[in-house]
């Protein structure tokens, strides 16, 4: 094993159809027109000294180290800012250049600490490297006089230019004394991340990097994405983990286990200790960028709360008892067999994890179908993107997004609906902001004023702050404008869609009740804004739609997805780069969990269980007869448990008690079961009602694959031994074998081979192909052996695109005198999902509790001040949390996150759900807000019950 070294070409790659040929140090080089001399030299294997240049940001030309000589030109231009020209003859090393470079390096070193041997960047310092590269052997200027290095001036007083190290950020330090003012960190924050949190304060010798207005990093607008740390050529910005552990000595490329962007990282190690995660430049989803979670928030893997031994107990009121793997697995098998004998084959089931790998998810649904003998399998996509699967399946014929993330770079108009990319999918959010700064237009449809509505150097052309629950009405109104004003693409529709269905749909959306004037009153939006947004999307060039859970988690979630698809087809914005319909998936493998057959009505590859030919494929391979009837969804399992007919549940890597709606109902269902098996890293909230706990493994401790929101299949590579002893796929195999299955998988690659053999969209996927290509996007088969970045290029998967009427039906959840406000929920940047991982990292410094956002008007009417405890009550339940008064939300709307179990926001949400998929209506809950003195009685009781449930009996020595 070795440390993976990536070549830094100094300046970004240029896309051009034209090329130029030049000579550098006697070598002929052909590069795209517009390529810098520095990059052209590096392409030829010639490294020009540099400090301010790196290929993650545009050329700057400030360090004056990369000077070259060009035949026929005077002077010594910087190679990073000089474009290569046809026929140029360039020299990178002459006596003149050597003298200049040494002189420049002398200036740098004369104002830099000489603590190289004890510096954390020793062995990974570009300043150190460049001093050697230019042959610097002495510094003529000495180290006395004005400097930024020493706390005391040479004459004995305080050195006013010296600044102490800033250690406020939990993950990295800022040491101004080591800063060479190359501006790489500032440019990375601007160009890559798009936050503009850093600047250069002062002028001349007084220049230095400053977070915000001379603030600490923690107090500034810095989002801790790590781009500045990655860009820094010295130890000015340095990971605290490197300071504590030392430089890494080997690395492997793996995939982040947080959101659905699926960023690729180099896990850099010393032995089996993780030193740092560094974004991989060749990662096709993230292109070398990262967010605070993927870059830094991996400490949960070693957190003291992590459970490493299997545990069982007879009753949920008993303390846990640690047992061997053999005893735990035998107990699980015995209990599930007993329940099936006593209550019937359908009395047990399982829930797959969107945080586990494709291979692990595939095995869980196989366990349930082959070993349990039923289809009682479901996944967390039930409560997030199941309407995406249904809606896109009906209209396009496939249950996934249409584009790759690179596609956004060619979008002219971007519509963001019910999503907050800068918080929920931050790396994609940064790529989107970069495209917007380049001139693309933005339409935001969201009840909240998310950051994208107005941020540094970007502003939405239209923000439609619709009333929660009116998505379908607003999207149909956009269609009304497009159709009645003749803005649709008739040629595309006639060629690619069923024109009769289009005419029927066009007649429907043209009706007066769908006009912006009518819908505007219903949704609380200016009709002119609806018309402007529709015209911009239809006529602005390449139009791309990105949406999130604000679309799907409604009683009309599936209808909204179909309405989005209708808009894309009507305007011809499907089937090429820069357009499309793109669901932003919430978890790292929620797409993969759906692909792998985690729904009770579908086998892997989205094929219905009633299909005889499909069942026959699996029956021959598995040697059993499969049930041809769909099984129970999660809500049905809970209902059946309360009714006494569903008694056993295997939950891998999900926390349904915290994440699913109507917490009281979920708790009642779990409490009614006789054997709940939780397979996870921590004793989560669901484990409060569990009888068996099987310790899970982190993404660092397993091999496998994740499939991200763009259908990209990425490798997950094991970098350390599982602390619990087994990878998650091995645990599932052991359960199956304890029940007599006889599985013999020795590595996840064998599971992927089985997936490929049974699932047409994965037919050509193999670990060998992923090693060769890095990643591929399904479908990957004989028709598309290298994958499919853009879907529906020549036609839709279903044949002709299908227009579907989208009748607006108001939710049954209504406001009234008792509950006059509407609650909607979402995420925040620093936390992830139910917080089980991120709450066990330093990320809590940014979000230690869930807060309730409330408009100043509503707060004043209730006598509330910022930070006050408030009672949040609905028809389903009540909780308390502290108020955050903000104009991000409109009057009449409140908003909170669901990352902290102490809040239990889902005790408020109701059991209303999407008509087609049972996806819960998290985004519309009628509530009332009133002052409170602190936690409710229910919260106090819940906390005590959870504390009692997490008791673990002390281990007893065998000799005793």
């Amino acid at each position: 094993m070795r440390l993976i070294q990536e070549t830094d070409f100094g300046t970004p790659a240029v896309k051009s159809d034209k090329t130029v040929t030049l000579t550098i140090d006697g070598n002929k080089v052909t590069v795209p027109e517009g390529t810098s001399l520095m990059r052209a030299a590096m392409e030829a294997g010639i490294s020009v000294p540099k400090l301010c240049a790196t290929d993650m940001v545009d050329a700057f030309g400030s360090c004056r180290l990369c000077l070259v000589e060009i035949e026929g030109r005077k002077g010594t231009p910087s190679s990073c800012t000089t474009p290569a020209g046809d026929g140029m003859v360039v020299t990178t090393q002459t006596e003149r250049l050597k003298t200049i470079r040494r002189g420049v390096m002398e200036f740098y070193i004369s104002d830099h600490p000489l603590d190289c041997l004890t510096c954390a960047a020793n062995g990974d310092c570009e300043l150190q490297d460049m001093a050697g590269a230019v042959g610097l052997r002495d510094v003529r200027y000495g180290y006395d006089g004005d400097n930024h290095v020493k706390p005391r001036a040479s004459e004995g007083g305080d050195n006013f230019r010296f600044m102490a190290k800033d250690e406020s950020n939990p993950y990295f330090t800022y040491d101004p004394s080591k800063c060479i003012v190359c501006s790489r960190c500032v440019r990375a924050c601007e160009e890559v991340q798009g936050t503009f949190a850093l600047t250069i304060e002062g002028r001349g010798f007084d220049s230095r990097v400053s977070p915000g207005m001379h603030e600490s990093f923690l107090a500034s607008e810095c989002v801790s994405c790590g781009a500045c740390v990655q860009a820094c050529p010295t130890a000015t910005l340095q990971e605290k983990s490197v300071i504590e552990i030392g430089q890494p000595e080997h690395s492997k490329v793996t995939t982040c286990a947080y959101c659905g962007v699926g960023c690729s990282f180099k896990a850099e190690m010393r032995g089996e200790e993780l030193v740092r995660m560094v974004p991989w430049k060749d990662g096709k989803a993230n292109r070398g960028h990262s967010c605070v979670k993927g870059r830094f928030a991996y400490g949960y893997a070693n957190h003291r709360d992590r459970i490493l031994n299997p545990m069982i107990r007879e009753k949920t009121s008993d303390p846990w008892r640690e047992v061997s793997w053999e005893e735990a697995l035998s107990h699980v098998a015995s209990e599930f067999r007993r329940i099936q004998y006593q209550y019937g084959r359908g009395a047990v089931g399982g829930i797959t994890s969107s945080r586990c790998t494709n291979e692990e998810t595939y095995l869980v649904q196989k366990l349930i179908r082959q070993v349990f003998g039923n289809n009682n399998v479901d996944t967390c996509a039930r409560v997030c993107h199941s309407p995406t699967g249904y809606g896109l399946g009906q209209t396009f014929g496939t249950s996934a997004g249409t584009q790759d993330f690179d596609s956004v770079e060619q979008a002219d108009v971007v519509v963001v609906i019910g999503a907050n990319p800068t918080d929920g999918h931050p790396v994609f959010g940064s790529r989107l902001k970069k495209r917007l700064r380049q001139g693309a237009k933005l339409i935001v449809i969201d009840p909240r004023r998310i950051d994208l509505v107005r941020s540094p150097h970007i502003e939405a052309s239209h923000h439609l702050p619709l009333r929660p629950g009116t998505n379908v009405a607003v999207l149909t109104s956009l269609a009304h404008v497009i159709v009645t004003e003749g803005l649709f693409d008739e040629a595309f529709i006639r060629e690619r869609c069923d024109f009769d269905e289009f005419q029927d749909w066009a007649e429907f959306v043209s009706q007066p009740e769908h006009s912006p004037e009518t819908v505007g009153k219903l949704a609380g939006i200016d009709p002119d804004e609806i018309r402007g947004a529709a015209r911009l999307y239809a006529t602005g060039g390449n139009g791309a739609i990105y949406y999130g859970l604000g679309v799907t988690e409604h009683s009309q979630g599936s209808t909204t997805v179909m309405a989005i698809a209708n808009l894309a087809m009507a305007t011809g914005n499907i089937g090429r780069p820069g357009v499309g319909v793109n669901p932003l998936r919430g978890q790292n493998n929620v797409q993969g969990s759906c692909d792998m057959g985690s729904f009770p009505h579908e086998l892997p590859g989205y094929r219905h269980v009633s299909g005889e030919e499909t069942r026959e494929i699996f029956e021959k391979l598995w040697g059993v007869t499969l049930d041809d009837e769909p099984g129970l969804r999660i809500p049905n399992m809970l209902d059946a448990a309360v009714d006494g007919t569903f008694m056993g549940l295997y939950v891998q890597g999900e926390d349904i008690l915290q994440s699913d709606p109507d917490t009281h109902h979920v708790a009642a269902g779990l409490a009614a079961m006789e054997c709940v098996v939780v397979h996870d890293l921590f004793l989560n909230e669901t484990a409060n009602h569990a009888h068996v706990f099987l310790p899970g493994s982190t993404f660092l401790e397993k091999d496998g694959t994740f499939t991200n929101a763009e259908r990209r299949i990425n490798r997950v590579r094991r970098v350390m031994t599982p602390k619990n002893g087994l990878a998650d796929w091995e645990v599932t195999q052991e359960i199956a074998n304890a029940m007599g299955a006889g599985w013999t998988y020795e590595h996840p690659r064998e599971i992927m081979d089985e997936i490929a053999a049974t699932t047409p969209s994965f037919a050509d996927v193999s670990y060998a192909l992923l090693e060769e290509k890095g990643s591929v996007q399904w479908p990957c088969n004989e028709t598309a052996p290298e994958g499919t970045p853009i879907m529906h290029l020549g036609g839709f998967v279903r044949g002709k695109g299908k227009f579907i009427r989208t009748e607006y039906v108001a939710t049954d959840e209504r406001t009234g005198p008792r509950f006059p406000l509407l609650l909607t929920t979402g995420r925040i940047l620093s936390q992830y999902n139910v917080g089980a991982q991120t709450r066990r990292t330093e990320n809590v410094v940014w979000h230690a509790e869930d807060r309730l956002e409330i408009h100043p008007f509503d707060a004043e009417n209730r006598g509330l001040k910022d930070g006050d405890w408030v009672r949040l009550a609905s028809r389903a339940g009540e909780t308390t949390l502290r108020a955050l008064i903000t104009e991000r939300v409109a009057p009449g709307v409140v908003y909170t996150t669901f990352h902290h179990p102490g809040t239990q926001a889902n005790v408020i949400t109701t059991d209303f759900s999407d008509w087609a998929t049972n996806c819960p209506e998290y985004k519309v809950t009628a509530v009332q807000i009133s002052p409170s003195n602190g936690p409710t009685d229910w919260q106090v009781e819940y906390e005590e019950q959870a504390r009692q449930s997490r008791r673990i009996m002390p281990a007893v020595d065998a000799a005793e």
Side-chain angles (χ1 to χ4, degrees), residues 341-374:
Y341 178 80
Q342 185 174 345
Y343 297 97
R345 188 178 64 184
V348 297
I351 299 174
T352 71
S353 175
S354 293
R355 291 186 286 125
C356 288
T357 64
N358 286 316
E359 294 79 1
E360 289 163 341
T361 302
Y362 177 86
L363 287 194
V364 172
Q365 65 85 32
K366 179 177 179 178
L367 168 73
I368 292 158
R369 292 190 160 108
Q370 182 197 27
V371 183
F372 291 2
N374 61 52

Short mmCIF file of all heavy atoms in Angstrom, two decimals, residues 341-374:
data_model
loop_
_atom_site.label_atom_id
_atom_site.label_comp_id
_atom_site.label_asym_id
_atom_site.label_seq_id
_atom_site.Cartn_x
_atom_site.Cartn_y
_atom_site.Cartn_z
N TYR A 341 -43.91 -19.88 12.91
CA TYR A 341 -44.69 -21.08 13.26
C TYR A 341 -45.97 -20.71 13.99
O TYR A 341 -47.04 -21.27 13.75
CB TYR A 341 -43.82 -22.01 14.12
CG TYR A 341 -44.56 -23.26 14.57
CD1 TYR A 341 -44.71 -24.34 13.71
CD2 TYR A 341 -45.10 -23.34 15.85
CE1 TYR A 341 -45.39 -25.48 14.11
CE2 TYR A 341 -45.78 -24.47 16.26
CZ TYR A 341 -45.93 -25.55 15.39
OH TYR A 341 -46.62 -26.67 15.79
N GLN A 342 -45.86 -19.70 14.87
CA GLN A 342 -46.99 -19.33 15.71
C GLN A 342 -48.00 -18.43 15.00
O GLN A 342 -49.21 -18.60 15.15
CB GLN A 342 -46.48 -18.64 16.97
CG GLN A 342 -47.57 -18.32 18.00
CD GLN A 342 -46.98 -17.77 19.30
OE1 GLN A 342 -45.78 -17.89 19.53
NE2 GLN A 342 -47.83 -17.19 20.13
N TYR A 343 -47.50 -17.48 14.20
CA TYR A 343 -48.38 -16.47 13.62
C TYR A 343 -48.51 -16.57 12.09
O TYR A 343 -49.33 -15.87 11.50
CB TYR A 343 -47.88 -15.07 13.97
CG TYR A 343 -47.89 -14.77 15.44
CD1 TYR A 343 -46.73 -14.90 16.21
CD2 TYR A 343 -49.06 -14.34 16.09
CE1 TYR A 343 -46.73 -14.61 17.56
CE2 TYR A 343 -49.06 -14.05 17.44
CZ TYR A 343 -47.89 -14.19 18.18
OH TYR A 343 -47.90 -13.90 19.52
N GLY A 344 -47.66 -17.34 11.45
CA GLY A 344 -47.72 -17.45 10.00
C GLY A 344 -46.49 -16.89 9.33
O GLY A 344 -45.74 -16.09 9.90
N ARG A 345 -46.29 -17.32 8.09
CA ARG A 345 -45.09 -16.93 7.34
C ARG A 345 -44.95 -15.42 7.19
O ARG A 345 -43.84 -14.88 7.16
CB ARG A 345 -45.14 -17.58 5.95
CG ARG A 345 -43.88 -17.43 5.14
CD ARG A 345 -44.01 -18.14 3.81
NE ARG A 345 -45.06 -17.53 2.99
CZ ARG A 345 -45.45 -18.00 1.81
NH1 ARG A 345 -44.91 -19.11 1.33
NH2 ARG A 345 -46.40 -17.40 1.11
N GLY A 346 -46.04 -14.71 7.09
CA GLY A 346 -46.00 -13.26 6.87
C GLY A 346 -45.89 -12.44 8.14
O GLY A 346 -46.01 -11.21 8.08
N ALA A 347 -45.63 -13.07 9.27
CA ALA A 347 -45.58 -12.33 10.54
C ALA A 347 -44.23 -11.70 10.83
O ALA A 347 -44.04 -11.07 11.88
CB ALA A 347 -45.96 -13.27 11.69
N VAL A 348 -43.26 -11.88 9.93
CA VAL A 348 -41.94 -11.26 10.09
C VAL A 348 -41.59 -10.51 8.81
O VAL A 348 -42.14 -10.77 7.75
CB VAL A 348 -40.84 -12.29 10.42
CG1 VAL A 348 -41.11 -12.97 11.74
CG2 VAL A 348 -40.72 -13.32 9.30
N GLY A 349 -40.64 -9.59 8.93
CA GLY A 349 -40.19 -8.82 7.77
C GLY A 349 -38.94 -8.06 8.11
O GLY A 349 -38.32 -8.28 9.17
N GLY A 350 -38.55 -7.16 7.22
CA GLY A 350 -37.32 -6.41 7.45
C GLY A 350 -37.31 -5.07 6.75
O GLY A 350 -38.10 -4.82 5.83
N ILE A 351 -36.42 -4.22 7.20
CA ILE A 351 -36.23 -2.89 6.63
C ILE A 351 -34.76 -2.77 6.23
O ILE A 351 -33.87 -2.96 7.05
CB ILE A 351 -36.61 -1.79 7.63
CG1 ILE A 351 -38.10 -1.92 8.00
CG2 ILE A 351 -36.32 -0.41 7.05
CD1 ILE A 351 -38.53 -0.97 9.10
N THR A 352 -34.52 -2.46 4.96
CA THR A 352 -33.15 -2.31 4.48
C THR A 352 -32.65 -0.91 4.77
O THR A 352 -33.42 0.00 5.06
CB THR A 352 -33.05 -2.58 2.97
OG1 THR A 352 -33.68 -1.50 2.27
CG2 THR A 352 -33.70 -3.89 2.59
N SER A 353 -31.35 -0.73 4.65
CA SER A 353 -30.72 0.54 5.00
C SER A 353 -30.24 1.28 3.77
O SER A 353 -29.59 0.72 2.90
CB SER A 353 -29.52 0.30 5.92
OG SER A 353 -28.86 1.52 6.18
N SER A 354 -30.53 2.58 3.74
CA SER A 354 -30.00 3.44 2.68
C SER A 354 -28.61 3.94 3.01
O SER A 354 -28.03 4.72 2.25
CB SER A 354 -30.94 4.63 2.46
OG SER A 354 -32.17 4.18 1.94
N ARG A 355 -28.07 3.52 4.14
CA ARG A 355 -26.68 3.87 4.50
C ARG A 355 -25.74 2.69 4.27
O ARG A 355 -24.53 2.86 4.33
CB ARG A 355 -26.61 4.33 5.96
CG ARG A 355 -27.28 5.66 6.21
CD ARG A 355 -27.08 6.16 7.62
NE ARG A 355 -27.90 5.43 8.58
CZ ARG A 355 -27.44 4.82 9.65
NH1 ARG A 355 -26.14 4.81 9.89
NH2 ARG A 355 -28.25 4.20 10.49
N CYS A 356 -26.30 1.52 4.03
CA CYS A 356 -25.47 0.35 3.76
C CYS A 356 -25.23 0.23 2.25
O CYS A 356 -25.81 0.94 1.44
CB CYS A 356 -26.14 -0.91 4.30
SG CYS A 356 -26.13 -1.00 6.10
N THR A 357 -24.37 -0.71 1.86
CA THR A 357 -24.00 -0.85 0.46
C THR A 357 -25.09 -1.54 -0.34
O THR A 357 -26.03 -2.14 0.21
CB THR A 357 -22.71 -1.68 0.34
OG1 THR A 357 -22.97 -3.02 0.83
CG2 THR A 357 -21.57 -1.07 1.14
N ASN A 358 -24.95 -1.47 -1.67
CA ASN A 358 -25.87 -2.20 -2.54
C ASN A 358 -25.87 -3.69 -2.21
O ASN A 358 -26.93 -4.33 -2.17
CB ASN A 358 -25.46 -2.01 -4.01
CG ASN A 358 -25.78 -0.64 -4.54
OD1 ASN A 358 -26.86 -0.11 -4.32
ND2 ASN A 358 -24.83 -0.04 -5.24
N GLU A 359 -24.68 -4.22 -2.00
CA GLU A 359 -24.56 -5.65 -1.75
C GLU A 359 -25.26 -6.04 -0.45
O GLU A 359 -25.93 -7.09 -0.38
CB GLU A 359 -23.07 -6.04 -1.70
CG GLU A 359 -22.33 -5.87 -3.02
CD GLU A 359 -21.93 -4.42 -3.34
OE1 GLU A 359 -22.21 -3.51 -2.53
OE2 GLU A 359 -21.34 -4.20 -4.41
N GLU A 360 -25.13 -5.23 0.56
CA GLU A 360 -25.76 -5.52 1.84
C GLU A 360 -27.29 -5.40 1.74
O GLU A 360 -28.02 -6.22 2.31
CB GLU A 360 -25.20 -4.59 2.91
CG GLU A 360 -23.76 -4.94 3.26
CD GLU A 360 -23.01 -3.84 4.00
OE1 GLU A 360 -23.43 -2.67 3.95
OE2 GLU A 360 -21.97 -4.15 4.62
N THR A 361 -27.74 -4.40 1.02
CA THR A 361 -29.18 -4.22 0.84
C THR A 361 -29.77 -5.37 0.04
O THR A 361 -30.85 -5.88 0.36
CB THR A 361 -29.45 -2.89 0.13
OG1 THR A 361 -28.88 -1.83 0.90
CG2 THR A 361 -30.92 -2.64 -0.04
N TYR A 362 -29.06 -5.78 -0.99
CA TYR A 362 -29.51 -6.92 -1.80
C TYR A 362 -29.67 -8.16 -0.93
O TYR A 362 -30.66 -8.90 -1.05
CB TYR A 362 -28.50 -7.18 -2.92
CG TYR A 362 -28.82 -8.38 -3.79
CD1 TYR A 362 -29.67 -8.27 -4.89
CD2 TYR A 362 -28.27 -9.63 -3.51
CE1 TYR A 362 -29.96 -9.37 -5.69
CE2 TYR A 362 -28.55 -10.74 -4.30
CZ TYR A 362 -29.40 -10.60 -5.38
OH TYR A 362 -29.68 -11.70 -6.17
N LEU A 363 -28.73 -8.39 -0.03
CA LEU A 363 -28.81 -9.58 0.82
C LEU A 363 -29.97 -9.51 1.80
O LEU A 363 -30.60 -10.54 2.11
CB LEU A 363 -27.50 -9.79 1.59
CG LEU A 363 -26.29 -10.28 0.79
CD1 LEU A 363 -25.19 -10.75 1.74
CD2 LEU A 363 -26.65 -11.40 -0.17
N VAL A 364 -30.30 -8.32 2.30
CA VAL A 364 -31.42 -8.22 3.23
C VAL A 364 -32.73 -8.56 2.53
O VAL A 364 -33.54 -9.34 3.05
CB VAL A 364 -31.49 -6.82 3.87
CG1 VAL A 364 -32.77 -6.67 4.69
CG2 VAL A 364 -30.28 -6.59 4.76
N GLN A 365 -32.94 -7.99 1.32
CA GLN A 365 -34.18 -8.34 0.63
C GLN A 365 -34.18 -9.81 0.20
O GLN A 365 -35.24 -10.45 0.17
CB GLN A 365 -34.42 -7.40 -0.56
CG GLN A 365 -33.43 -7.48 -1.70
CD GLN A 365 -33.72 -8.55 -2.72
OE1 GLN A 365 -34.88 -8.87 -2.98
NE2 GLN A 365 -32.66 -9.12 -3.30
N LYS A 366 -33.01 -10.37 -0.06
CA LYS A 366 -32.93 -11.80 -0.38
C LYS A 366 -33.27 -12.64 0.85
O LYS A 366 -33.98 -13.66 0.75
CB LYS A 366 -31.53 -12.16 -0.90
CG LYS A 366 -31.36 -13.64 -1.24
CD LYS A 366 -29.97 -13.94 -1.82
CE LYS A 366 -29.84 -15.43 -2.11
NZ LYS A 366 -28.52 -15.77 -2.72
N LEU A 367 -32.76 -12.23 2.01
CA LEU A 367 -33.08 -12.91 3.26
C LEU A 367 -34.60 -12.99 3.45
O LEU A 367 -35.15 -14.04 3.80
CB LEU A 367 -32.44 -12.17 4.43
CG LEU A 367 -32.89 -12.56 5.85
CD1 LEU A 367 -32.33 -13.92 6.23
CD2 LEU A 367 -32.45 -11.50 6.86
N ILE A 368 -35.26 -11.88 3.22
CA ILE A 368 -36.71 -11.82 3.47
C ILE A 368 -37.47 -12.64 2.44
O ILE A 368 -38.40 -13.39 2.79
CB ILE A 368 -37.16 -10.34 3.48
CG1 ILE A 368 -36.57 -9.65 4.73
CG2 ILE A 368 -38.68 -10.22 3.47
CD1 ILE A 368 -36.47 -8.17 4.63
N ARG A 369 -37.07 -12.56 1.19
CA ARG A 369 -37.81 -13.25 0.13
C ARG A 369 -37.49 -14.74 0.07
O ARG A 369 -38.38 -15.58 -0.07
CB ARG A 369 -37.54 -12.58 -1.22
CG ARG A 369 -38.13 -11.18 -1.29
CD ARG A 369 -38.08 -10.59 -2.69
NE ARG A 369 -39.04 -9.50 -2.78
CZ ARG A 369 -38.72 -8.20 -2.84
NH1 ARG A 369 -37.45 -7.84 -2.81
NH2 ARG A 369 -39.67 -7.28 -2.91
N GLN A 370 -36.21 -15.08 0.17
CA GLN A 370 -35.82 -16.49 0.06
C GLN A 370 -35.98 -17.24 1.38
O GLN A 370 -36.50 -18.36 1.40
CB GLN A 370 -34.36 -16.60 -0.40
CG GLN A 370 -33.90 -18.05 -0.58
CD GLN A 370 -32.38 -18.19 -0.61
OE1 GLN A 370 -31.66 -17.38 -0.04
NE2 GLN A 370 -31.89 -19.22 -1.28
N VAL A 371 -35.56 -16.62 2.49
CA VAL A 371 -35.51 -17.33 3.77
C VAL A 371 -36.80 -17.14 4.56
O VAL A 371 -37.38 -18.11 5.06
CB VAL A 371 -34.27 -16.89 4.58
CG1 VAL A 371 -34.17 -17.68 5.88
CG2 VAL A 371 -32.99 -17.07 3.75
N PHE A 372 -37.24 -15.88 4.70
CA PHE A 372 -38.51 -15.65 5.40
C PHE A 372 -39.70 -16.14 4.58
O PHE A 372 -40.74 -16.48 5.12
CB PHE A 372 -38.70 -14.16 5.71
CG PHE A 372 -37.76 -13.60 6.74
CD1 PHE A 372 -36.76 -14.36 7.33
CD2 PHE A 372 -37.87 -12.27 7.13
CE1 PHE A 372 -35.91 -13.83 8.27
CE2 PHE A 372 -37.02 -11.72 8.07
CZ PHE A 372 -36.03 -12.50 8.64
N GLY A 373 -39.55 -16.09 3.23
CA GLY A 373 -40.61 -16.59 2.36
C GLY A 373 -41.75 -15.62 2.12
O GLY A 373 -42.87 -16.03 1.81
N ASN A 374 -41.48 -14.30 2.26
CA ASN A 374 -42.53 -13.31 1.98
C ASN A 374 -41.89 -12.06 1.36
O ASN A 374 -40.68 -12.01 1.15
CB ASN A 374 -43.31 -12.96 3.24
CG ASN A 374 -42.44 -12.35 4.34
OD1 ASN A 374 -41.70 -11.39 4.11
ND2 ASN A 374 -42.50 -12.91 5.55
#
